Structure formats: structure tokens, C-alpha cells
Amino acid sequence: MRSDQLKHGATRAPHRSLLRALAITDAEMERPFVGVANAFSEVVPGHMHLRSVVDAVKAGVRAGGGVPLEFGVMGICDGLAMNHEGMLYSLPSRELVADTVESMAVAHAFDALVLVPCCDKIVPGMLMAAVRLDIPTVVVSGGPMLAGKLGGQTVDLNSVFEAVGRHMAGTLDDEGLKAVECAACPTCGSCSGMFTANSMNCLTEVLGLALPGNGTVPAPYSERIRLAKDSGEAVMRVLADGLSARQIVTEAAVGNALVMDSSLGCSTNTVLHLAAIATEAGLDFPLQRINDIAGRVPHVCNMAPAGPHHLEDLYAAGGIQALLKRLLDGGLLDGAARCVAAPTLAEAVAGAVVLDDEVIRPLDRPYHATGGLAVLFGNLAPDGGVVKESAVAPSMLRHSGPAQVFESEALAVEAIGAGAIRAGSVIVIRNCGPVGAPGMPEMLTPTSAIVGRGLSEKVALITDGRFSGATRGAAIGHVAPEAAAGGPVGLIEEGDTISIDIPARSLTLEVSEEELARRRQKKPPFTPRDGVGGYLARYRRLVSGADKGAVLQ
């Protein structure tokens, strides 16, 4: 056991002395030590209940014959960090989460890990650490929030952002805005639509590192606590089998994750996170693979923000395991992939049944014939740009219009609020990439304001930054190379025509190569944003492009 480095031999007497100070007994000294990474905080609604989840995990580890040792991990609430300087720290925090788990696991020689995240960057950060460390690992999240109810309508956090847009437009008064605000987030848990946190928690099931139910059992349900106990026991079985994280997160597992991503219509952020996880696992992750898979996988779950269903609906319809069974029966998944729930993915979902054919439609009656995400290429995005195709109105799948260019999110939001956005235009928000911002902030405020102002089927938006999983509309992010790296997005001028053809996977700046070369020659070098120091300054020096997952090099 790895933990023998702390426990065995005369030279480890000081280590044992410290372990005894933790009240570890002689009998426990002979058992495996299991690190339990707890992302609890009183800041993040998705994490406020994780103490009870972790207590259940520890009970499961003890029942399985292990010694659980809990440690804390930071987490940022993207909703609270949105649309101010705090959002610069959101994506970079993913690397801090991964580094914390790695540091704690290696320094304390844990034999195995149970990772307990819930929200946006904490889930992928922990997954990155798991494959980096390559030790037996099980993940159990805190679960999704229940959706809110208001006047017979279902509402969620995205409803509040869009209500702000209606308030800007003068179609919703203060009282109406407060009513949405008070109804949208009624429980603990990750925000209730197929936003980034829930996307990643669902993908963790198909990646093989979580038990069935991880993505969909609602946070307030007692079943979530039972799942946590089962996860604690499961890690002891995984450890006994010698099954490490990289034996599970293989090429086949990543391919399966992309298939499920396409069928669910997950957040565009999953592209960044799957790329980062694949990098840690030593796997290639060409963006074209997303288009190849999406081209043969139907979109069968119409989840919020694109559709009417929330995670509690997917749970009631049979959960991720029912979706996986349907995809497996359709020949779209590799059922031999390994997982912590059973020897193979096929065995893990063998008994699953779809209970609602509207929430999880049959493969021959999908919401869309092809998958939820698309990667666009062209002279404006040589290294790709990502859009949630399933959340784009049919009338906006192809769009051409003049550019309205903004050098920051704040300036774009100001223009939207002032009614300065012209129907038919393509909004460009740049200098928001991993280096340029720095930190590649996600932007829900401008996209929601566009929806709230009734412009979602009249304008498109492109950026070298990224979007919240709650975003809907013709919003194309991750445009690479970013402006700060000399990408063509930095060469767009006001009024240039931009052509978007999502079905053809193309993004074109209708300017000649000669003109672009001229603009490139006269463009001054990128100047870092004033006032950025500390961690963000270090992050800026080391981060890769969005097409590589914005990982630290």
C-alpha cells in the first residue's frame, strides 16, 4: 500500500506518532488510507451541504475496511463570480483544485481517493487530479438543485439572468424581477439545468469514475446520501481490484463521454474540460473528433437552457444510466469500457430502463438529428470555435452580418443595455481568452441580456472567451487562437462582414487575406491588462490556448 510509506518500519515512528495524534489506532494503521477531498464551503450553494455527503462517504469507507481522511478543497461559484473581476479566477481555479488534490494525495501517501465536488470548475479539476495521480478513485458529487416554480412556470438561475435583460428592456418591473430572483434557486445543489456543473457530473458517470446516479440524483434527496455511502464502499472494491484512474479514463471512455455529451446537449465548457482531462491522461483530443461524433449521434435530451427539462426530470426518466443503455443498444457506445460501478459500462447499465420517452427520446425520434455541440473552423477560427448547436434557433444556424466590436464584456453589456445593438449584426467580444483576460471569463450576462431584449434570433455573438452552460442562442466561444495570441479575432474591424454556417461548421471573416496581412502588420503587440498580478499573472505566463483545454504548460 502507498500508505505504508507513513506506517511501516522504525524510521516511520515519527509519522506514526503524528497519526496517533489523529486518533488512528493500531488496527487502523494496517488498513488502507483513503483521502476524501471535500469541496464544502459556505459560499457556494452547490457545496453548502457537502459535509453530510462527506460524512456518508466516510461511513462507506469505514464499512469497506478503510480509514477515511478528509481534507478541504477550494471552490468558486461561477454565478457569484459572474460579470465582475472575480470571473477572471473561475477557470484558473480549476488548476488550483487539481494541484491541491495532487499535493494532498502525494504528500500523505493515500492509497485511494474519494472526490466530493459539485460545481463548475471543481468537478473537472478533481478529475484532472485523479488521472494525473493514477490511483484508485471514485467521484460522488453533491447533486443538482431542484428547479424553482413561479406562476406555474419552471425557473432556474438562467431565468434570473434573462429576467435582467427584460428589466433592461423595460418589459419587467422591479417587483417582477425580484419574484424571479426569489424563486429560481430553491435548494442546495448545482444549478438545475444542463449547465457546466451538471454536464460534468453526468459525464463523470460515463467516464467511469462515478456510480450511477452521480449526475442526476437531486441534492436534497436522501438517495444522494445513500449514493455517497455506496461510493465510499465502492472505492475499497476498486482499490482491492487494483483499478486506477487511467485504466478507466481511456480513449474509449473519452469517446463515450463525447457521445453522451452530444446526446445530452451539454455545456460548451465540457470541450475545455474534456480536453484538459484527456491531456492529463496522456490522450490526444483533436477538436474535429467532436464534429465526427456529433455527426452520427442524435440529440435526444432537450435540457435547459435549450429545452424545458431539468435534471430532476432526467432523474425521473431513468437518469444517465437509462440514456447510456439507450445509446448502447443503438450501437453508439463502447460497452467494454471499464468503470467503478461494474467490470464494464455495459454491465453497469444493464438493468436501466427509460421511463419517459419525451425526456430521453428514442434514437429514431430525436430532438435534433445530430449532436448538441459543434466546432466551427475557418479563417476567423483556424483552431476552432465552439457552439451549443442544440441551443441555437433554426433561423440562426446560418447568419451573416456586420461586426459590432467590443474590447471587453463590460463594454458589450453597456451597449446591449443602451439598446445600441443592431438587429442582424454579429457582436464580437475579444481579449477574453486564457491569456488576454486573463482567465477566459465566461459570459452569461451579455447572452442573457440579448435574450431578454428579444434579440436572440436577430444577432449572433462570437468571443475568444467562453460562455456559461446556461447560455443559449448563436453564441460561439473559445475562438482560437485568441486575440492576445495574434488570432484573427483580434483583426476584426467595425462593420466587417462575418459569416456563420453552423451546419457546415464554418466561421468566416469576409476580408481578403491581403487585407488581414496588412492589419496584422500594423497591429501593436498584445499588452497585458494593467493591474494583474499574483496567481493570474503566473497563470497568464503558463496557460495554453482554449483548443488545448487552457491547461498550464
Side-chain angles (χ1 to χ4, degrees), residues 91 94-95 272 276 434 440 539 543-552:
L91 183 60
R94 184 189 69 181
E95 315 308 308
L272 281 174
M440 201 179 182
Y539 179 87
V543 70
S544 72
D547 57 308
K548 304 297 184 186
V551 294
L552 296 185

Side-chain angles (χ1 to χ4, degrees), residues 31-397:
R31 299 172 190 165
F33 282 4
V34 178
V36 182
N38 184 0
F40 163 81
S41 80
E42 294 181 340
V43 180
V44 186
H47 292 189
M48 62 185 284
H49 62 305
L50 291 188
R51 281 174 171 164
S52 60
V53 176
V54 164
D55 284 346
V57 167
K58 292 191 288 188
V61 170
R62 291 190 188 100
V67 179
L69 295 166
E70 177 186 341
F71 61 93
V73 177
M74 68 160 291
I76 286 176
C77 175
D78 277 19
L80 292 175
M82 193 75 65
N83 196 26
H84 63 87
E85 190 174 21
M87 181 45 67
L88 299 178
Y89 287 84
S90 170
L91 183 60
S93 75
R94 184 189 69 181
E95 315 308 308
L96 294 177
V97 169
D99 290 351
T100 296
V101 174
E102 175 198 355
S103 300
M104 292 296 290
V106 175
H108 303 104
F110 294 137
D111 298 299
L113 288 170
V114 181
L115 306 176
V116 188
C118 200
C119 291
D120 289 31
K121 306 308 168 295
I122 303 88
V123 182
M126 287 189 174
L127 291 171
M128 290 165 65
V131 293
R132 183 188 298 173
L133 290 162
D134 194 28
I135 63 176
T137 302
V138 174
V139 179
V140 56
S141 79
M145 181 184 290
L146 295 175
K149 303 294 180 184
L150 179 64
Q153 299 293 313
T154 301
V155 292
D156 55 37
L157 182 64
N158 191 44
S159 305
V160 189
F161 277 95
E162 293 185 0
V164 170
R166 288 155 51 207
H167 188 268
M168 284 180 179
T171 58
L172 184 70
D173 61 15
D174 291 349
E175 186 177 337
L177 179 60
K178 186 172 183 181
V180 180
E181 168 192 330
C182 292
C185 298
T187 72
C188 62
S190 47
C191 296
S192 57
M194 191 53 73
F195 312 146
T196 304
N198 290 325
S199 295
M200 290 307 303
N201 285 321
C202 290
L203 289 177
T204 304
E205 287 192 40
V206 70
L207 282 171
L209 289 178
L211 299 183
N214 180 68
T216 57
V217 174
Y221 285 16
S222 294
E223 186 180 349
R224 176 59 55 177
I225 302 302
R226 298 197 300 272
L227 177 64
K229 288 181 185 177
D230 289 342
S231 297
E233 290 195 58
V235 80
M236 300 309 299
R237 295 194 299 272
V238 173
L239 175 61
D241 291 341
L243 189 59
S244 66
R246 286 198 196 183
Q247 292 174 273
I248 294 172
V249 182
T250 61
E251 195 75 38
V254 173
N256 285 343
L258 289 172
V259 168
M260 196 190 78
D261 194 317
S262 292
S263 68
L264 269 179
C266 290
S267 162
T268 52
N269 283 313
T270 60
V271 175
L272 281 174
H273 300 324
L274 285 174
I277 293 162
T279 297
E280 295 287 359
L283 305 171
D284 290 333
F285 193 84
L287 291 183
Q288 182 57 44
R289 189 181 186 192
I290 295 168
N291 289 341
D292 295 342
I293 289 175
R296 61 182 176 83
V297 176
H299 175 226
V300 296
C301 296
N302 202 20
M303 306 294 294
H309 302 131
H310 288 78
L311 267 291
E312 63 207 72
D313 303 312
L314 183 56
Y315 165 76
I320 291 301
Q321 55 269 41
L323 172 60
L324 293 177
K325 181 66 163 59
R326 179 155 281 178
L327 294 169
L328 192 64
D329 289 346
L332 295 170
L333 291 174
D334 184 343
R338 305 183 78 176
C339 61
V340 299
T344 66
L345 181 67
E347 292 170 89
V349 303
V353 177
V354 174
L355 302 175
D356 188 327
D357 278 338
E358 278 305 299
V359 178
I360 306 174
R361 281 193 174 180
L363 300 181
D364 60 0
R365 189 172 62 85
Y367 286 99
H368 301 95
T370 57
L373 295 182
V375 182
L376 311 186
F377 296 95
N379 72 339
L380 187 45
D383 295 333
V386 183
V387 63
K388 185 188 281 195
E389 183 177 10
S390 60
V392 180
S395 62
M396 290 299 293
L397 290 171

